[in-house]
Amino acid sequence: MTGNTTGAHGVDLPEILSRAHLIGIGGAGMSGIARILLARGAEVSGSDAKDSRAFLTLRAQGARIEIGQRAENLDASGERPSAVVVSTAIKESNPEFAAARERGIPVLHRAEALAALMRGHRVACIAGTHGKTSTTSMLTVALQHCHLDPSFAIGGDLNESGANAHHGEGGLFVAEADESDGSFLTYSPSVAVVTNVEPDHLDHHGTAEAYVAVFEEFVGRIDDGGVLVVCQDDAPAADLAARAEARGVRVRRYGRTAGEHAGDATVLGYTPEGDGGTVRISLDGDEFDVRVAVAGEHMAFNAVAALLAGLELGAPLGGLVEGLAAFGGVRRRFEFKGRAGDVRVYDDYAHHPTEVDAQLRAVRHAAGAGRVVVVFQPHLYSRTEAFASEFAKALGLADEVIVLDVYGAREEPRPGVTGELIANRITGTTVHYEPAFDRAAGLAADVVKPGDVLVTMGAGDVTQLGAEILSELDRRGG
């Protein structure tokens, strides 16, 4: 994967990606890579199973996109692709993947393609079981506020720009590093952030020990002279930092227990304020406040991680603090969808028990005197089976819960594993199990009361329900 060419916009473009075909181009990761390739002057083609709102921008920038996946799509640009880019979700039986192999066209994982685009930049990668999308987004917006124009690739759309990726004119590259399939081991960052380490994605990693081990490998890929930013309050992450430090890696810690090492940021307190809050920090002998315009103490901690990473990238403290205060959030992270009468509707991506717990605690404050109603869709049969009791405990923080059936994504159904597995374990609150997705909006409209905050929650197509619920409430008169 060596060799660069000069793209149409006068920037370095890896030669192997000069005519790239992306299978599943509408996905969060793939569409971001396509955006950067197009900005660097590459010829880009791609395909997906269905149309997507992301295609409007990509087509306007010159991408050729086919709906449906067929071997002949590889010829859409009129020339043989220099490479075909796939994600872990694309199997070798996919007709385009198979055709690329038959024709001898190089096939790259999307992480390999992103790593090629990072070359020549100072790279910050944000990893962790929870919070990596928000932290990556906060860091990106804060650096933009400092006029550094970083390139970035994020697993969600910034509310400020509506984009999940960008080719910047600066020498920085900020990327979300996904541990779910181990593909973040492709990157070699100068600055690595680990927000937390809590076993997940065991369908891929197999055991909790293997999951922790892959983070160990990731930290081992930090560039010589680079730095690890880690949350000291998370015991597995703190252990990871201690082992890294023993190997000579420089570490910057944050959290309530961060201590007083040079460069560590101790969180002295957090004050919720409306839909956001203020976190007070002690850093290098100074105390100051950082305003965060998104709800939840967990988001404030993400902001502190972004602050330390930004300082390591050479940004000024004052500009970073101002940029974090201006951060407007990420699509699907407690995203306000609308109001019908006196009911506010939000959408959130939380799909792990720890994320559900943290977000519902934040929602509780935002709801004020109103109730918290959650429409929750479990994501993956393996995760539902492994964490049913933990999900039930977290969802019990709401006043009323509607549990949908499992969104299987890449997995085949498992006998006895449905949303009811979680619903039957929830105690202390009103619970409904609704396996029929098309009845969920009506049921949600039935249960809400004036003053309630309703959150659709999960990583699947539950995100579609917010608009449907608002329409149903409007039809009924709010």
Side-chain angles (χ1 to χ4, degrees), residues 94-322:
N94 178 284
E96 295 176 22
F97 194 143
R101 290 291 197 211
E102 289 170 8
R103 300 183 194 181
I105 300 171
V107 177
L108 305 181
H109 189 278
R110 70 180 181 190
E112 294 177 298
L114 189 57
L117 293 171
M118 290 175 178
R119 290 193 184 114
H121 294 76
R122 188 152 186 241
V123 176
C125 285
I126 289 75
T129 311
H130 319 297
K132 51 186 171 286
T133 300
S134 295
T135 305
T136 310
S137 303
M138 289 176 174
L139 175 57
T140 298
V141 171
L143 292 172
Q144 289 173 332
H145 197 82
C146 296
H147 309 292
L148 293 174
D149 191 22
S151 297
F152 65 84
I154 307 172
D157 293 343
L158 291 175
N159 286 347
E160 282 84 357
S161 64
N164 61 346
H166 166 71
H167 167 67
E169 296 299 323
L172 304 179
F173 201 121
V174 179
E176 180 176 342
D178 182 14
E179 87 288 355
S180 65
D181 57 3
S183 61
F184 68 165
L185 298 180
T186 307
Y187 311 136
S188 297
S190 297
V191 179
V193 177
V194 176
T195 57
N196 41 59
V197 181
E198 184 176 359
D200 195 7
H201 305 290
L202 300 186
D203 56 317
H204 175 83
H205 296 286
T207 65
E209 292 75 15
Y211 183 83
V212 173
V214 80
F215 278 92
E216 193 86 41
E217 290 185 63
F218 171 68
V219 170
R221 295 189 59 83
I222 295 173
D223 283 342
D224 290 343
V227 64
L228 171 64
V229 176
V230 72
C231 181
Q232 185 69 11
D233 295 352
D234 182 78
D239 290 345
L240 188 73
R243 292 191 294 273
E245 202 164 43
R247 296 195 305 271
V249 177
R250 188 162 59 87
V251 175
R252 295 192 74 164
R253 296 169 173 86
Y254 66 96
R256 296 186 187 278
T257 59
E260 298 179 357
H261 295 93
D264 289 353
T266 303
V267 174
L268 302 175
Y270 171 73
T271 305
E273 299 169 357
D275 284 344
T278 297
V279 58
R280 186 150 187 86
I281 301 170
S282 173
L283 176 63
D284 293 333
D286 293 326
E287 291 186 13
F288 56 93
D289 292 333
V290 176
R291 166 70 184 167
V292 185
V294 287
E297 185 178 62
H298 60 300
M299 287 295 189
F301 273 62
N302 292 340
V304 180
L307 178 71
L308 290 183
L311 291 172
E312 286 296 326
L313 293 171
L317 176 62
L320 291 170
V321 171
E322 291 177 6

Side-chain angles (χ1 to χ4, degrees), residues 336 338-345 450 469-474 477-478:
F336 181 63
R339 181 191 295 267
D342 198 26
V343 175
R344 288 176 286 161
V345 177
I469 293 167
L470 286 166
S471 293
E472 182 62 20
L473 289 171
D474 284 337

